[in-house]
Short mmCIF file of all heavy atoms in Angstrom, two decimals:
data_model
loop_
_atom_site.label_atom_id
_atom_site.label_comp_id
_atom_site.label_asym_id
_atom_site.label_seq_id
_atom_site.Cartn_x
_atom_site.Cartn_y
_atom_site.Cartn_z
N MET A 880 31.82 -1.15 4.53
CA MET A 880 30.78 -2.14 4.40
C MET A 880 31.34 -3.53 4.11
O MET A 880 30.69 -4.51 4.40
CB MET A 880 29.82 -1.76 3.26
CG MET A 880 28.86 -0.68 3.63
SD MET A 880 27.50 -0.32 2.46
CE MET A 880 27.94 -1.02 0.94
N GLN A 881 32.54 -3.60 3.56
CA GLN A 881 33.06 -4.90 3.15
C GLN A 881 33.30 -5.84 4.33
O GLN A 881 33.29 -7.05 4.15
CB GLN A 881 34.33 -4.75 2.33
CG GLN A 881 35.54 -4.29 3.11
CD GLN A 881 36.70 -3.94 2.19
OE1 GLN A 881 36.53 -3.18 1.26
NE2 GLN A 881 37.83 -4.52 2.46
N ASP A 882 33.49 -5.32 5.53
CA ASP A 882 33.70 -6.17 6.70
C ASP A 882 32.42 -6.40 7.50
O ASP A 882 32.45 -7.06 8.53
CB ASP A 882 34.76 -5.53 7.61
CG ASP A 882 36.13 -5.53 6.98
OD1 ASP A 882 36.39 -6.40 6.13
OD2 ASP A 882 36.93 -4.63 7.31
N SER A 883 31.31 -5.89 7.00
CA SER A 883 30.03 -6.04 7.71
C SER A 883 29.50 -7.46 7.56
O SER A 883 29.64 -8.09 6.52
CB SER A 883 29.00 -5.07 7.15
OG SER A 883 29.42 -3.74 7.31
N GLU A 884 28.87 -7.94 8.63
CA GLU A 884 28.24 -9.26 8.58
C GLU A 884 26.89 -9.20 7.86
O GLU A 884 26.50 -10.14 7.19
CB GLU A 884 28.04 -9.81 9.98
CG GLU A 884 29.34 -10.20 10.65
CD GLU A 884 29.13 -10.79 12.02
OE1 GLU A 884 28.05 -11.38 12.26
OE2 GLU A 884 30.02 -10.66 12.85
N CYS A 885 26.19 -8.09 8.03
CA CYS A 885 24.86 -7.95 7.44
C CYS A 885 24.65 -6.49 7.03
O CYS A 885 24.87 -5.59 7.83
CB CYS A 885 23.80 -8.37 8.44
SG CYS A 885 22.12 -8.26 7.81
N ILE A 886 24.21 -6.30 5.80
CA ILE A 886 23.96 -4.95 5.29
C ILE A 886 22.47 -4.82 5.00
O ILE A 886 21.90 -5.62 4.27
CB ILE A 886 24.76 -4.67 4.01
CG1 ILE A 886 26.26 -4.80 4.29
CG2 ILE A 886 24.42 -3.29 3.45
CD1 ILE A 886 27.12 -4.78 3.05
N ILE A 887 21.86 -3.81 5.60
CA ILE A 887 20.45 -3.50 5.37
C ILE A 887 20.39 -2.14 4.70
O ILE A 887 20.86 -1.15 5.25
CB ILE A 887 19.65 -3.48 6.69
CG1 ILE A 887 19.78 -4.83 7.40
CG2 ILE A 887 18.19 -3.13 6.41
CD1 ILE A 887 19.19 -4.85 8.78
N ALA A 888 19.82 -2.11 3.51
CA ALA A 888 19.71 -0.86 2.75
C ALA A 888 18.28 -0.36 2.79
O ALA A 888 17.34 -1.13 2.63
CB ALA A 888 20.14 -1.08 1.31
N VAL A 889 18.13 0.95 3.01
CA VAL A 889 16.82 1.60 2.96
C VAL A 889 16.95 2.75 1.97
O VAL A 889 17.80 3.62 2.12
CB VAL A 889 16.40 2.15 4.34
CG1 VAL A 889 15.04 2.83 4.24
CG2 VAL A 889 16.37 1.04 5.38
N ASN A 890 16.11 2.74 0.94
CA ASN A 890 16.18 3.77 -0.08
C ASN A 890 14.82 3.90 -0.74
O ASN A 890 14.12 2.91 -0.92
CB ASN A 890 17.25 3.40 -1.12
CG ASN A 890 17.67 4.57 -1.96
OD1 ASN A 890 16.85 5.19 -2.62
ND2 ASN A 890 18.95 4.88 -1.94
N LYS A 891 14.46 5.11 -1.09
CA LYS A 891 13.19 5.33 -1.78
C LYS A 891 13.19 4.75 -3.20
O LYS A 891 12.16 4.38 -3.72
CB LYS A 891 12.89 6.83 -1.87
CG LYS A 891 12.51 7.47 -0.56
CD LYS A 891 12.21 8.94 -0.78
CE LYS A 891 11.92 9.65 0.51
NZ LYS A 891 11.63 11.08 0.28
N ASN A 892 14.39 4.69 -3.79
CA ASN A 892 14.53 4.20 -5.16
C ASN A 892 14.82 2.70 -5.13
O ASN A 892 15.90 2.27 -4.75
CB ASN A 892 15.66 4.95 -5.86
CG ASN A 892 15.92 4.49 -7.27
OD1 ASN A 892 15.29 3.56 -7.75
ND2 ASN A 892 16.87 5.11 -7.94
N GLY A 893 13.87 1.91 -5.54
CA GLY A 893 14.03 0.46 -5.54
C GLY A 893 15.10 -0.05 -6.48
O GLY A 893 15.54 -1.19 -6.37
N ASN A 894 15.55 0.79 -7.40
CA ASN A 894 16.61 0.40 -8.34
C ASN A 894 17.98 0.94 -7.95
O ASN A 894 18.92 0.86 -8.73
CB ASN A 894 16.26 0.90 -9.75
CG ASN A 894 15.01 0.25 -10.28
OD1 ASN A 894 14.81 -0.94 -10.10
ND2 ASN A 894 14.15 1.03 -10.91
N ALA A 895 18.10 1.47 -6.73
CA ALA A 895 19.37 2.05 -6.28
C ALA A 895 20.46 0.97 -6.23
O ALA A 895 20.21 -0.17 -5.83
CB ALA A 895 19.19 2.67 -4.90
N PRO A 896 21.66 1.32 -6.64
CA PRO A 896 22.77 0.35 -6.66
C PRO A 896 23.10 -0.27 -5.30
O PRO A 896 23.61 -1.38 -5.25
CB PRO A 896 23.95 1.18 -7.16
CG PRO A 896 23.36 2.34 -7.86
CD PRO A 896 22.05 2.61 -7.20
N ILE A 897 22.77 0.40 -4.21
CA ILE A 897 23.07 -0.13 -2.88
C ILE A 897 22.39 -1.48 -2.65
O ILE A 897 22.89 -2.33 -1.92
CB ILE A 897 22.68 0.88 -1.76
CG1 ILE A 897 23.19 0.40 -0.39
CG2 ILE A 897 21.18 1.09 -1.72
CD1 ILE A 897 24.67 0.38 -0.24
N PHE A 898 21.26 -1.70 -3.30
CA PHE A 898 20.54 -2.95 -3.11
C PHE A 898 21.32 -4.15 -3.65
O PHE A 898 21.09 -5.28 -3.22
CB PHE A 898 19.15 -2.88 -3.75
CG PHE A 898 18.20 -1.98 -3.00
CD1 PHE A 898 17.60 -0.90 -3.63
CD2 PHE A 898 17.90 -2.20 -1.68
CE1 PHE A 898 16.73 -0.07 -2.95
CE2 PHE A 898 17.03 -1.38 -0.97
CZ PHE A 898 16.44 -0.31 -1.62
N GLU A 899 22.23 -3.92 -4.57
CA GLU A 899 23.05 -5.01 -5.09
C GLU A 899 24.05 -5.50 -4.04
O GLU A 899 24.43 -6.67 -4.04
CB GLU A 899 23.79 -4.55 -6.35
CG GLU A 899 22.87 -4.26 -7.51
CD GLU A 899 23.59 -3.69 -8.72
OE1 GLU A 899 24.83 -3.82 -8.80
OE2 GLU A 899 22.91 -3.10 -9.56
N ALA A 900 24.48 -4.62 -3.15
CA ALA A 900 25.46 -4.99 -2.13
C ALA A 900 24.78 -5.42 -0.82
O ALA A 900 25.42 -6.04 0.02
CB ALA A 900 26.37 -3.80 -1.85
N ALA A 901 23.51 -5.11 -0.66
CA ALA A 901 22.81 -5.35 0.60
C ALA A 901 22.34 -6.80 0.74
O ALA A 901 21.98 -7.45 -0.25
CB ALA A 901 21.62 -4.41 0.72
N ASP A 902 22.33 -7.27 1.99
CA ASP A 902 21.74 -8.57 2.29
C ASP A 902 20.22 -8.45 2.34
O ASP A 902 19.50 -9.37 1.96
CB ASP A 902 22.25 -9.09 3.64
CG ASP A 902 23.75 -9.33 3.60
OD1 ASP A 902 24.20 -10.13 2.77
OD2 ASP A 902 24.47 -8.71 4.41
N TYR A 903 19.75 -7.32 2.85
CA TYR A 903 18.32 -7.02 2.94
C TYR A 903 18.08 -5.62 2.39
O TYR A 903 18.87 -4.72 2.64
CB TYR A 903 17.82 -7.06 4.39
CG TYR A 903 17.99 -8.41 5.04
CD1 TYR A 903 19.09 -8.68 5.85
CD2 TYR A 903 17.06 -9.42 4.83
CE1 TYR A 903 19.27 -9.92 6.43
CE2 TYR A 903 17.23 -10.66 5.41
CZ TYR A 903 18.33 -10.91 6.21
OH TYR A 903 18.50 -12.14 6.78
N GLY A 904 17.01 -5.45 1.66
CA GLY A 904 16.68 -4.15 1.11
C GLY A 904 15.25 -3.77 1.40
O GLY A 904 14.35 -4.61 1.29
N ILE A 905 15.06 -2.54 1.78
CA ILE A 905 13.72 -2.01 2.06
C ILE A 905 13.53 -0.76 1.22
O ILE A 905 14.29 0.20 1.34
CB ILE A 905 13.55 -1.66 3.55
CG1 ILE A 905 13.80 -2.89 4.42
CG2 ILE A 905 12.16 -1.07 3.81
CD1 ILE A 905 13.88 -2.59 5.90
N GLU A 906 12.52 -0.79 0.37
CA GLU A 906 12.22 0.38 -0.45
C GLU A 906 11.25 1.25 0.33
O GLU A 906 10.12 0.84 0.62
CB GLU A 906 11.60 -0.03 -1.78
CG GLU A 906 11.34 1.13 -2.71
CD GLU A 906 10.80 0.69 -4.06
OE1 GLU A 906 10.78 -0.50 -4.34
OE2 GLU A 906 10.40 1.58 -4.82
N GLY A 907 11.70 2.43 0.74
CA GLY A 907 10.85 3.32 1.51
C GLY A 907 11.63 4.50 2.04
O GLY A 907 12.84 4.62 1.86
N ASP A 908 10.92 5.37 2.73
CA ASP A 908 11.50 6.58 3.32
C ASP A 908 12.22 6.20 4.61
O ASP A 908 11.63 5.62 5.52
CB ASP A 908 10.38 7.57 3.61
CG ASP A 908 10.88 8.91 4.14
OD1 ASP A 908 11.99 8.97 4.70
OD2 ASP A 908 10.15 9.90 3.98
N LEU A 909 13.49 6.54 4.70
CA LEU A 909 14.33 6.24 5.85
C LEU A 909 13.67 6.69 7.16
O LEU A 909 13.68 5.96 8.15
CB LEU A 909 15.68 6.93 5.68
CG LEU A 909 16.64 6.88 6.86
CD1 LEU A 909 17.24 5.50 6.99
CD2 LEU A 909 17.74 7.91 6.69
N PHE A 910 13.09 7.87 7.15
CA PHE A 910 12.53 8.45 8.38
C PHE A 910 11.21 7.80 8.79
O PHE A 910 10.74 8.01 9.90
CB PHE A 910 12.39 9.96 8.23
CG PHE A 910 13.71 10.63 8.05
CD1 PHE A 910 14.12 11.08 6.81
CD2 PHE A 910 14.60 10.76 9.11
CE1 PHE A 910 15.36 11.67 6.62
CE2 PHE A 910 15.85 11.35 8.94
CZ PHE A 910 16.23 11.80 7.70
N LYS A 911 10.63 6.99 7.93
CA LYS A 911 9.44 6.22 8.28
C LYS A 911 9.82 4.78 8.62
O LYS A 911 9.25 4.17 9.52
CB LYS A 911 8.43 6.24 7.14
CG LYS A 911 7.81 7.59 6.91
CD LYS A 911 6.81 7.56 5.79
CE LYS A 911 6.23 8.95 5.55
NZ LYS A 911 5.29 8.96 4.41
N VAL A 912 10.78 4.24 7.88
CA VAL A 912 11.15 2.83 8.04
C VAL A 912 11.95 2.58 9.32
O VAL A 912 11.66 1.64 10.06
CB VAL A 912 11.96 2.35 6.81
CG1 VAL A 912 12.54 0.97 7.03
CG2 VAL A 912 11.08 2.37 5.57
N VAL A 913 12.93 3.41 9.59
CA VAL A 913 13.82 3.16 10.74
C VAL A 913 13.06 3.18 12.08
O VAL A 913 13.27 2.27 12.90
CB VAL A 913 15.03 4.11 10.74
CG1 VAL A 913 15.82 4.00 12.04
CG2 VAL A 913 15.92 3.81 9.55
N PRO A 914 12.18 4.13 12.34
CA PRO A 914 11.44 4.06 13.61
C PRO A 914 10.62 2.76 13.74
O PRO A 914 10.52 2.20 14.82
CB PRO A 914 10.53 5.29 13.56
CG PRO A 914 11.25 6.25 12.68
CD PRO A 914 11.91 5.40 11.64
N MET A 915 10.08 2.28 12.63
CA MET A 915 9.32 1.03 12.66
C MET A 915 10.25 -0.15 12.96
O MET A 915 9.88 -1.07 13.70
CB MET A 915 8.58 0.82 11.34
CG MET A 915 7.46 1.82 11.14
SD MET A 915 6.74 1.88 9.49
CE MET A 915 6.50 0.20 9.07
N LEU A 916 11.44 -0.14 12.38
CA LEU A 916 12.42 -1.20 12.66
C LEU A 916 12.83 -1.19 14.13
O LEU A 916 12.94 -2.25 14.76
CB LEU A 916 13.66 -1.02 11.79
CG LEU A 916 13.55 -1.41 10.33
CD1 LEU A 916 14.82 -1.02 9.58
CD2 LEU A 916 13.31 -2.90 10.20
N ILE A 917 13.06 -0.02 14.67
CA ILE A 917 13.46 0.10 16.08
C ILE A 917 12.38 -0.49 16.99
O ILE A 917 12.67 -1.24 17.92
CB ILE A 917 13.77 1.57 16.45
CG1 ILE A 917 15.04 2.02 15.73
CG2 ILE A 917 13.91 1.74 17.97
CD1 ILE A 917 15.31 3.51 15.81
N GLU A 918 11.13 -0.15 16.72
CA GLU A 918 10.03 -0.67 17.54
C GLU A 918 9.92 -2.18 17.41
O GLU A 918 9.67 -2.88 18.40
CB GLU A 918 8.71 0.00 17.16
CG GLU A 918 8.63 1.45 17.60
CD GLU A 918 8.86 1.63 19.09
OE1 GLU A 918 8.28 0.88 19.90
OE2 GLU A 918 9.63 2.54 19.44
N ALA A 919 10.12 -2.71 16.21
CA ALA A 919 10.05 -4.17 16.00
C ALA A 919 11.18 -4.88 16.75
O ALA A 919 10.96 -5.95 17.34
CB ALA A 919 10.11 -4.48 14.51
N ILE A 920 12.36 -4.30 16.76
CA ILE A 920 13.49 -4.89 17.48
C ILE A 920 13.23 -4.86 18.98
O ILE A 920 13.47 -5.85 19.69
CB ILE A 920 14.80 -4.16 17.12
CG1 ILE A 920 15.16 -4.45 15.67
CG2 ILE A 920 15.92 -4.57 18.07
CD1 ILE A 920 16.26 -3.57 15.10
N LYS A 921 12.72 -3.74 19.49
CA LYS A 921 12.40 -3.64 20.90
C LYS A 921 11.35 -4.67 21.30
O LYS A 921 11.47 -5.32 22.35
CB LYS A 921 11.90 -2.24 21.25
CG LYS A 921 12.97 -1.19 21.29
CD LYS A 921 12.39 0.18 21.63
CE LYS A 921 13.43 1.26 21.65
NZ LYS A 921 12.84 2.59 21.95
N ALA A 922 10.34 -4.85 20.48
CA ALA A 922 9.28 -5.83 20.77
C ALA A 922 9.83 -7.25 20.77
O ALA A 922 9.47 -8.06 21.61
CB ALA A 922 8.15 -5.68 19.76
N ALA A 923 10.71 -7.54 19.83
CA ALA A 923 11.31 -8.88 19.75
C ALA A 923 12.18 -9.15 20.98
O ALA A 923 12.16 -10.27 21.52
CB ALA A 923 12.12 -9.02 18.47
N LYS A 924 12.93 -8.15 21.42
CA LYS A 924 13.77 -8.31 22.61
C LYS A 924 12.91 -8.50 23.86
O LYS A 924 13.24 -9.29 24.73
CB LYS A 924 14.68 -7.11 22.80
CG LYS A 924 15.85 -7.10 21.85
CD LYS A 924 16.78 -5.92 22.18
CE LYS A 924 18.03 -5.95 21.34
NZ LYS A 924 18.96 -4.86 21.70
N ALA A 925 11.81 -7.78 23.96
CA ALA A 925 10.94 -7.87 25.12
C ALA A 925 10.23 -9.23 25.17
O ALA A 925 9.91 -9.71 26.26
CB ALA A 925 9.90 -6.75 25.09
N ALA A 926 10.00 -9.84 24.03
CA ALA A 926 9.31 -11.13 23.97
C ALA A 926 10.19 -12.29 24.40
O ALA A 926 9.69 -13.37 24.69
CB ALA A 926 8.79 -11.37 22.56
N LYS A 927 11.50 -12.07 24.48
CA LYS A 927 12.41 -13.16 24.87
C LYS A 927 12.36 -13.45 26.33
O LYS A 927 12.19 -12.77 27.19
CB LYS A 927 13.85 -12.81 24.46
CG LYS A 927 14.06 -12.97 22.99
CD LYS A 927 15.52 -12.80 22.68
CE LYS A 927 15.76 -13.08 21.20
NZ LYS A 927 17.16 -13.00 20.85
#
């Protein structure tokens, strides 16, 4: 992770230590959040 340009953390626990290292944090269930992120990225790409 130390060489990453952007870190996005998804975790059910809003107090998880990963959020301290992340650029963006989403509190929620990985299996619900990631499909929504994928669809949002696809929509943004299609709008260009």
Side-chain angles (χ1 to χ4, degrees):
M880 283 190 343
Q881 71 189 52
D882 293 333
S883 299
E884 290 182 28
C885 181
I886 300 170
I887 302 172
V889 179
N890 197 301
K891 289 181 184 180
N892 178 358
N894 296 319
I897 189 67
F898 289 122
E899 294 175 19
D902 297 301
Y903 299 97
I905 302 170
E906 184 177 351
D908 184 336
L909 173 74
F910 297 104
K911 292 181 182 177
V912 171
V913 171
M915 292 168 46
L916 284 173
I917 291 169
E918 289 304 314
I920 291 168
K921 286 180 181 178
K924 284 184 174 183
K927 285 188 175 183

